[in-house]
Structures are given as C-alpha cells and as structure tokens.
Amino acid sequence: MYVADFACIEAKLVVEVDGSQHQEHRAYDLKREEYLTECGFQVLRFWDNEVLAQTDAVLETISRVLTSRRPHPSLPPQAGEGS
C-alpha cells in the first residue's frame, strides 16, 4: 500500500510534492510510481520549492493534465432514453 500526497481518483492522477529527502529514497519513489502507473494513474512530481515559488505554473500543469485525462463525453442517449 502506498500513500500519495494528493490524488484525484476520478482522473487517476497523483501529485507528489518532493523535498530533499526524496533524493535519498529515489529507488522507492520509482518503484511506487511504477506501481501507480500500472494501476492506471499518472504521477506528477514537483519539488516543494517549485510549488512554493512557482505556484501558478504548477497549478497550470495540474489543470492541463486533468483536462487531458477527462473522460470523453457520453454518447447521445439511445432512442427513448433521456427524454
């Protein structure tokens, strides 16, 4: 079992905010990211100082990814449905 910093289950998106301690645990992080990817999640990683100093850019990246992962609109209702 893994714990993510932030996750949107509906969009299958995980956002990780890494500090300097992650450099020492890089192998673990890669294994966890591989597992999450195999489960259908996309993992975005940002450095903690990047989140603090470039918040708008980080939010724009997250928004862009969420938009691209949004499910396609439903097909029109079949005859007699949705009336």
Side-chain angles (χ1 to χ4, degrees):
M1 177 183 343
Y2 295 105
V3 177
D5 291 332
F6 303 96
C8 178
I9 303 302
E10 181 180 327
K12 297 279 237 180
L13 178 66
V14 170
V15 177
E16 292 291 334
V17 181
D18 296 341
S20 60
Q21 76 278 9
H22 284 273
Q23 293 202 20
E24 299 168 9
H25 303 287
R26 188 72 180 135
Y28 173 82
D29 286 345
L30 289 174
K31 180 179 175 186
R32 180 173 69 160
E33 188 168 330
E34 182 179 305
Y35 172 79
L36 291 168
T37 301
E38 288 173 2
C39 291
F41 286 87
Q42 180 174 350
V43 179
L44 296 180
R45 289 191 172 280
F46 300 98
W47 289 105
D48 54 2
N49 62 336
E50 182 180 16
V51 172
L52 294 172
Q54 300 172 11
T55 306
D56 290 341
V58 169
L59 291 173
E60 176 61 34
T61 299
I62 294 169
S63 177
R64 190 170 48 250
V65 170
L66 283 171
T67 300
S68 71
R69 293 186 68 83
R70 198 173 283 155
H72 293 289
S74 299
L75 295 173
Q78 298 296 318
E81 293 181 358
S83 303

